[in-house]
Amino acid sequence: MNNHTTLADTPSSDAPALTPAFSPLYQQIKGLILQSLQSGEWKPGESIPSEMELAARFRVSQGTVRKAIDELASDNLLVRRQGKGTFVATHAEQHVQYRFLKLVPDQGDLNTEGPAQREIVDCKRLRASAEIARALALRAGDAVLQVRRVLSFAGVPTILEDLWLPGGPFKGLTAERLTAYHGPMYALFETEFGVRMVRAEEKIRAVLPDESQSQLLQVPPSTPLLSVERIAYTYNNTPMELRRGFYRTDSHHYHNALS
Amino acid sequence: MNNHTTLADTPSSDAPALTPAFSPLYQQIKGLILQSLQSGEWKPGESIPSEMELAARFRVSQGTVRKAIDELASDNLLVRRQGKGTFVATHAEQHVQYRFLKLVPDQGDLNTEGPAQREIVDCKRLRASAEIARALALRAGDAVLQVRRVLSFAGVPTILEDLWLPGGPFKGLTAERLTAYHGPMYALFETEFGVRMVRAEEKIRAVLPDESQSQLLQVPPSTPLLSVERIAYTYNNTPMELRRGFYRTDSHHYHNALS
DNA sequence: CAGTGGTCTAGACCACACT
DNA sequence: GTGTGGTCTAGACCACTGC
């Protein structure tokens, strides 16, 4: 039962022996739970087995399962609810919608403004440029989906987004389905394509809009915009979306907490 | 020993009874440790007593102290080092310098570029405007220190910052001391004024520079800049600094990880 | 009431750093 | 070796949810 050293622990060989490769039990359990999440054994929004059940299944103590779940919860992959169970995190029906959108109104919050109006400007298939391919870990020339949309708050067009998705996982995505779906786009990706965005990285710059951008956002071409380039990842650090957002910041700002 | 309900637990009264005010033991321990940090019993960079010692001092088990320290570590107030001890976090001699600066070069990292060159452009005392006072939780007219400085990377002026500090805690801060000190500004605040910045919030916008800004950053007035307004807090959520940064993003970007 | 996650304890042992 | 944090266990009890 104290078998801390499962696989991957080669005590001595002619390997460089740089990484001792010691991995605590709870990390291994974490990996096993992750596999189950990835394989779809438990779907977004559903509850996973209780700590006791998992402890029995993996032949470890409840405390070890607990620590594994703790980490997955702090990674926002699971959500604990006392008295009810532990649930697979989802972008849908999450009390905090728009988990990855950090643009907020200067006064009030997103709820004050009511829901955003969304308009799909464009949605087409094309072949990945070298740049897009690199970002999505594809080969240049692979099929990708390109979407352009505008988000408006209180009737004011505020966000213009271009996004690129790998053609394979998102086969069948059309402008119609995007338009028909009400709710966060990442929720649609979950339910319709089984793609769960788990984390993302953003690179932010200040830019001036080109002609089409200034038209769609209804601002003069001299209006500086926030350029937000995001790469969103599923499990295994697999990039699944490249998104270039252009935010008007005349009555909104990008909010970030540092600690 | 099982006295979970210390103070603040009024089981029944004519109070609204909205918050049951149940606070687990480890939270109370966390509060006690926080008090010791705040009072300066353990100074930045020093080690705090071992878990066993703290457990004895507070009359709880090691596991309870452990959980309290865990939270303080994940809040970046403490740093654990296996085999050595637990240390009070500091902005100085931290392997990651510039903990709150999220501007990074498009290629490489801050180490590639070497250290930033710093120039204090201005440093003067004045009376707080209503706006500054509100941000720093002061009264309008209270004494504040205003500093303007420029950071250059590889000889290129990249960051222009205006910052405002409450006059009381920072009595004695001068341009000379700022210039003489080598290391992060927040490290100087720690060692010279006993002010430890613990967290911060930033509001980011895209703006065009005014004349003085474009001159100091050596860019044409039509160059969009990232405007980063930061309020930094010490313990108890006390704001201790308002900082308005203007970042050139032609060869750098603001990096943010979402999860 | 039973079932879930949440807290607390006590003890054993492991990995790491210093001496 | 000694002392530190890190892991793992087993068991008891508390708080919350829903039947």
Side-chain angles (χ1 to χ4, degrees), chain B residues 199-221:
Chain B
R199 67 177 193 90
E201 306 223 356
E202 293 189 333
K203 297 181 180 181
I204 305 169
R205 291 184 175 79
V207 301
L208 291 177
D210 65 24
E211 199 177 334
S212 72
Q213 291 166 345
S214 75
Q215 274 178 13
L216 286 165
L217 288 175
Q218 298 173 18
V219 294

Side-chain angles (χ1 to χ4, degrees), chain B residues 134-137 166 197 231-241:
Chain B
R134 182 156 25 85
L136 293 178
M197 300 303 189
I231 299 182
Y233 300 84
T234 348
Y235 300 106
N236 290 76
N237 287 325
T238 308
M240 281 301 246
E241 180 200 59

Side-chain angles (χ1 to χ4, degrees), chain A residues 4-35:
Chain A
H4 298 185
T5 78
T6 338
L7 320 163
D9 198 359
T10 47
S12 77
S13 69
D14 26 8
L18 279 176
T19 56
F22 161 75
S23 150
L25 233 196
Y26 76 87
Q27 287 285 3
Q28 301 178 33
I29 303 300
K30 187 180 172 185
L32 293 175
I33 296 177
L34 244 167
Q35 282 188 358

Side-chain angles (χ1 to χ4, degrees), chain A residues 173-194:
Chain A
L173 181 56
T174 61
E176 289 71 41
R177 293 180 78 174
L178 282 169
T179 307
Y181 190 86
H182 292 269
M185 192 178 281
Y186 288 158
L188 181 148
F189 291 174
E190 265 178 20
T191 57
E192 306 289 316
F193 301 94

Side-chain angles (χ1 to χ4, degrees), chain A residues 6 40 47 53-55 61 67 120 132 144-145 158 166 177 182 188 191 199 208 212 217 223 226 238 253:
Chain A
T6 338
S47 72
E53 284 178 85
L54 290 174
S61 78
K67 182 140 189 178
I120 304 295
I132 306 291
V144 294
L145 232 128
T158 306
R177 293 180 78 174
H182 292 269
L188 181 148
T191 57
R199 67 177 195 88
L208 292 176
S212 71
L217 288 175
T223 307
L226 221 53
T238 308
H253 61 269

Side-chain angles (χ1 to χ4, degrees), chain B residues 24-26 61 64 67 82 84:
Chain B
L25 233 197
Y26 76 87
S61 76
T64 300
K67 180 141 189 176
Q82 181 172 153
K84 295 168 80 172

Side-chain angles (χ1 to χ4, degrees), chain A residues 37-66:
Chain A
L37 285 171
Q38 206 165 157
S39 74
E41 179 177 344
W42 312 309
K43 298 210 160 31
E46 292 179 3
S47 72
I48 72 172
S50 73
E51 295 180 351
M52 285 306 236
E53 284 178 85
L54 290 174
R57 168 158 155 188
F58 297 132
R59 310 293 198 79
V60 298
S61 78
Q62 189 201 6
T64 301
V65 170
R66 192 154 226 324

Side-chain angles (χ1 to χ4, degrees), chain A:
Chain A
M1 225 56 62
N2 250 343
N3 176 22
H4 298 185
T5 78
T6 338
L7 320 163
D9 198 359
T10 47
S12 77
S13 69
D14 26 8
L18 279 176
T19 56
F22 161 75
S23 150
L25 233 196
Y26 76 87
Q27 287 285 3
Q28 301 178 33
I29 303 300
K30 187 180 172 185
L32 293 175
I33 296 177
L34 244 167
Q35 282 188 358
S36 292
L37 285 171
Q38 206 165 157
S39 74
E41 179 177 344
W42 312 309
K43 298 210 160 31
E46 292 179 3
S47 72
I48 72 172
S50 73
E51 295 180 351
M52 285 306 236
E53 284 178 85
L54 290 174
R57 168 158 155 188
F58 297 132
R59 310 293 198 79
V60 298
S61 78
Q62 189 201 6
T64 301
V65 170
R66 192 154 226 324
K67 182 140 189 178
I69 293 180
D70 276 345
E71 291 209 352
L72 290 167
S74 81
D75 289 345
N76 292 310
L77 294 180
L78 295 176
V79 178
R80 322 191 72 143
R81 286 184 221 159
Q82 182 171 154
K84 295 167 82 174
T86 302
F87 298 77
V88 182
T90 170
H91 283 88
E93 63 170 328
Q94 203 173 238
H95 52 287
V96 181
Q97 276 200 343
Y98 298 115
R99 201 178 108 198
F100 286 172
L101 179 59
K102 315 216 43 165
L103 194 74
V104 297
D106 290 341
Q107 274 112 24
D109 55 34
L110 282 176
N111 297 326
T112 314
E113 283 183 325
Q117 301 92 269
R118 292 163 302 182
E119 183 197 355
I120 304 295
V121 177
D122 193 24
C123 177
K124 62 186 172 209
R125 313 200 136 256
L126 40 76
R127 310 227 150 256
S129 67
E131 191 186 5
I132 306 291
R134 183 159 22 85
L136 294 178
L138 301 174
R139 283 181 299 268
D142 283 355
V144 294
L145 232 128
Q146 180 179 345
V147 179
R148 165 167 279 201
R149 69 163 181 174
V150 173
L151 294 188
S152 300
F153 297 103
V156 180
T158 306
I159 297 181
L160 167 62
E161 286 177 325
D162 288 310
L163 47 100
W164 292 266
L165 303 165
F170 288 98
K171 189 188 302 256
L173 181 56
T174 61
E176 289 71 41
R177 293 180 78 174
L178 282 169
T179 307
Y181 190 86
H182 292 269
M185 192 178 281
Y186 288 158
L188 181 148
F189 291 174
E190 265 178 20
T191 57
E192 306 289 316
F193 301 94
V195 176
R196 300 201 41 232
M197 300 304 189
V198 156
R199 67 177 195 88
E201 307 224 357
E202 293 189 334
K203 296 181 180 182
I204 306 170
R205 292 183 175 79
V207 301
L208 292 176
D210 65 25
E211 198 177 333
S212 71
Q213 292 167 345
S214 74
Q215 275 178 15
L216 286 166
L217 288 175
Q218 298 174 19
V219 294
S222 62
T223 307
L225 300 177
L226 221 53
S227 156
V228 180
E229 177 175 311
R230 175 195 299 171
I231 299 182
Y233 299 84
T234 348
Y235 300 107
N236 288 78
N237 287 325
T238 308
M240 281 301 247
E241 181 200 58
L242 168 63
R243 186 183 290 221
R244 292 212 173 107
F246 298 89
Y247 299 177
R248 283 179 58 174
T249 55
D250 41 348
S251 63
H252 292 70
H253 61 269
Y254 185 105
H255 180 268
N256 200 21
L258 311 178
S259 65

